[in-house]
Amino acid sequence: MECPHVPVFLNASGLFDVEYRIIAACRDGCLYTYKRGFKAPKVSIPLGSQIVGMEKSGKNVVVACMDRCVYGFTTKGKKMWKLEMPADIVTTCGFEIKSKGIQGYILSLTNNEVHIYKEKNIISKFKTQDLVVGIKFGKFGREDSNLIMTTRNGGLIIKILKRTAELSIKDSHRGPPEAQLKKLDVPKKTKLYVDQTTRERENGTFMHQTFQKDLYKFRIKTAKEFLRSLQTSSTPISTNPNEPLKINAQVQGIGPTFKLIVKVHNISANQPCLNLFLTFIYDEKLYKISKSFIELPILVPGIEYPFSTFINTVSNQLISDNIKILLCKKNTDVPIITAIISMPISEVEI
């Protein structure tokens, strides 16, 4: 067999006399797949980065690269998944625990962490005092599952897996949280629920038509009220672009004499407002306003102008009514803004 570049890692599977497959990781950052009977590579897979290590994990081949990524390929060269590590990868090592039926790979990172994976799922991770540069997993003495590591400064770390240890898969990369997988305690169906479901199934079309009819009526009524408010200027903010004004009214006192404060604000950028006045619409049998006509000066943009008047209650009955405040412009028939004030009930004069 001929390889286009210098191979640094090899992975073989199958039988030599029957059928075998060899995956070679070369220094050009590519994977080459060879099959029995072919001298040239059958498949070429560019990875885009130099390869740090290649291990066998179950039926897949795991490749670690210098771009902090770990790729999973089938033996035929098809890419299955990709993982991104938090730091650069230093070295790799495969492992197999036959008593528990687990096969995976181990990664050493430059942040002094060692990660243990089964395919794309993390099983465990731990931190060391020094950077691990060499890893070997296998039998040591009487124990079958041992992890032996060498560090950059010449240290030796030996970890023995307990025979009673439980290795659970922790998918930290994607998938729903563990709480989402718990079954909800759904109550049993009651007779009322069954009857309501039957009614909705039998009268579904009629109920939908009724809902749509009521919805259309609600939309039409909303549009009519909005149009009426625009035509009568019964909004606290002017809709006329030539007169951008805003009004705010406040009632002070407990009666029988109230003080009404009306604040007018010109909200335009650079357009002053001229020839404006305030007037009131009210029930003369209940109230009397000392100044029912207030002429306004020139309103400069950005300044709020307060105007006040007194309202006297002329009725001894404990009732109240609304007072309309009209902000108008001279020589016009429609007010610019209409504000409605709900008057409180006046206290009895002692």
Side-chain angles (χ1 to χ4, degrees):
M1 294 182 181
E2 297 179 357
C3 193
H5 294 272
V6 179
V8 290
F9 298 102
L10 294 175
N11 180 271
S13 61
L15 298 175
F16 179 78
D17 295 334
V18 183
E19 182 68 27
Y20 62 85
R21 191 184 302 269
I22 300 175
I23 300 177
C26 299
R27 290 183 178 176
D28 60 346
C30 295
L31 294 179
Y32 297 97
T33 303
Y34 296 88
K35 292 183 65 177
R36 184 175 183 271
F38 294 90
K39 293 184 178 181
K42 186 74 174 177
V43 181
S44 175
I45 306 172
L47 296 177
S49 180
Q50 293 297 321
I51 299 172
V52 178
M54 183 173 62
E55 304 294 339
K56 188 76 179 295
S57 176
K59 297 181 180 181
N60 298 331
V61 176
V62 178
V63 181
C65 298
M66 296 183 67
D67 58 354
R68 297 186 177 183
C69 293
V70 179
Y71 302 90
F73 296 92
T74 62
T75 54
K76 295 183 180 181
K78 182 180 178 181
K79 181 180 176 181
M80 300 298 294
W81 43 263
K82 172 186 175 183
L83 297 178
E84 293 186 4
M85 297 293 110
D88 294 334
I89 303 172
V90 179
T91 184
T92 64
C93 175
F95 75 93
E96 183 179 4
I97 306 175
K98 294 182 180 180
S99 60
K100 299 182 180 296
I102 298 177
Q103 188 176 4
Y105 55 97
I106 305 171
L107 302 177
S108 172
L109 307 180
T110 54
N111 58 354
N112 296 347
E113 287 185 356
V114 177
H115 292 199
I116 303 175
Y117 284 88
K118 179 183 178 182
E119 295 184 355
K120 63 184 180 65
N121 302 316
I122 187 169
I123 297 177
S124 177
K125 66 178 181 178
F126 56 89
K127 201 171 185 66
T128 59
Q129 296 180 355
D130 195 7
L131 178 63
V132 175
V133 295
I135 303 175
K136 189 65 178 178
F137 185 90
K139 186 175 181 180
F140 182 71
R142 295 183 179 180
E143 297 295 333
D144 294 332
S145 301
N146 301 275
L147 182 61
I148 300 176
M149 298 169 285
T150 57
T151 62
R152 180 174 52 185
N153 296 325
L156 180 65
I157 302 174
I158 300 176
K159 289 185 176 291
I160 302 175
L161 180 66
K162 294 182 179 179
R163 297 180 181 179
T164 59
E166 295 183 0
L167 301 177
S168 58
I169 296 176
K170 303 174 183 178
D171 191 352
S172 61
H173 295 276
R174 63 179 181 178
E178 185 179 355
Q180 187 174 334
L181 301 177
K182 294 183 180 179
K183 188 176 180 181
L184 298 177
D185 187 12
V186 180
K188 295 182 179 180
K189 296 180 181 179
T190 61
K191 185 177 182 301
L192 178 62
Y193 173 80
V194 176
D195 294 342
Q196 182 69 15
T197 305
T198 306
R199 172 178 169 272
E200 292 179 357
R201 188 185 303 112
E202 295 175 353
N203 305 309
T205 304
F206 175 73
M207 295 172 65
H208 177 71
Q209 292 175 353
T210 305
F211 170 75
Q212 292 293 331
K213 185 178 179 181
D214 295 341
L215 181 61
Y216 291 149
K217 288 183 179 179
F218 176 75
R219 289 177 177 175
I220 292 173
K221 186 175 180 181
T222 303
K224 287 182 178 179
E225 291 295 328
F226 181 68
L227 179 61
R228 186 187 62 82
S229 64
L230 293 179
Q231 292 176 347
T232 58
S233 300
S234 57
T235 56
I237 300 177
S238 175
T239 57
N240 186 0
N242 297 325
E243 302 292 340
L245 299 169
K246 184 174 69 172
I247 191 172
N248 183 21
Q250 183 181 5
V251 178
Q252 297 179 352
I254 59 175
T257 300
F258 300 94
K259 183 178 181 180
L260 177 62
I261 301 175
V262 182
K263 298 179 180 179
V264 183
H265 186 197
N266 185 357
I267 58 177
S268 66
N270 52 9
Q271 178 182 352
C273 297
L274 309 172
N275 301 324
L276 301 177
F277 63 90
L278 289 172
T279 186
F280 307 91
I281 298 178
Y282 57 95
D283 189 357
E284 296 183 354
K285 297 179 181 180
L286 297 178
Y287 303 107
K288 181 180 179 182
I289 300 179
S290 59
K291 291 191 297 182
S292 59
F293 181 87
I294 302 175
E295 189 170 1
L296 306 185
I298 299 176
L299 301 182
V300 179
I303 300 178
E304 191 175 54
Y305 294 85
F307 305 95
S308 61
T309 184
F310 290 95
I311 302 174
N312 296 319
T313 305
V314 297
S315 175
N316 295 327
Q317 301 178 0
L318 298 178
I319 57 176
S320 63
D321 197 6
N322 296 331
I323 296 178
K324 291 184 178 181
I325 304 174
L326 306 179
L327 177 60
C328 307
K329 189 171 184 177
K330 295 180 181 179
N331 302 324
T332 57
D333 300 333
V334 180
I336 300 173
I337 300 176
T338 302
I340 301 177
I341 303 299
S342 180
M343 294 295 297
I345 298 177
S346 175
E347 296 288 339
V348 180
E349 186 177 5
I350 301 176

